[in-house]
Amino acid sequence: MSYVTAHVLDSVTGRPARDIAVSLAGADGATIAQARTNDDGRVPDLGPETLESGHYRITFSTGEYFAAREQATFYPSVTIDFAVDAHEQHYHVPLLLSPFAFSTYRGS
């Protein structure tokens, strides 16, 4: 299993947000992994099985998602910075998304 996974739900439709590009980068900005959400809005494999302790950034390309639906959005992308403790077993980053708001939390 990937050390980092993600999930995007469209809170307007109440459905998974499919085909959103997601990237994982280190503190230096170098891309570690890239993927797209599946039919269930999930990214089950985003990067390696482990990461060193430190700061990382996950970016969701939400503008493309809304453009494909011909829907205006205030957020062309959503970027979340988070801290990793290498002693933890897994990091799950869910994103609840609408065209003009979003929220996130540390998932399980």
Side-chain angles (χ1 to χ4, degrees):
M1 176 198 276
S2 177
Y3 196 65
V4 177
T5 57
H7 190 193
V8 184
L9 293 174
D10 185 325
S11 62
V12 172
T13 64
R15 299 178 113 8
R18 298 186 317 218
D19 201 33
I20 291 182
V22 180
S23 65
L24 176 66
D28 61 358
T31 300
I32 297 169
Q34 296 178 330
R36 297 190 86 80
T37 57
N38 62 20
D39 287 345
D40 195 32
R42 296 180 182 275
V43 178
D45 186 15
L46 186 61
E49 291 181 12
T50 62
L51 289 173
E52 294 181 14
S53 294
H55 294 157
Y56 293 86
R57 173 173 289 164
I58 189 168
T59 302
F60 300 87
S61 296
T62 55
E64 295 173 3
Y65 172 78
F66 288 115
R69 284 148 188 76
E70 299 180 355
Q71 189 171 26
T73 182
F74 186 66
Y75 301 105
S77 65
V78 172
T79 300
I80 301 162
D81 292 337
F82 62 102
V84 165
D85 176 348
H87 299 295
E88 295 286 329
Q89 293 182 6
H90 177 248
Y91 285 86
H92 183 64
V93 183
L95 177 66
L96 303 174
L97 180 65
S98 75
F100 300 100
F102 68 87
S103 67
T104 187
Y105 55 95
R106 165 111 192 245
S108 58

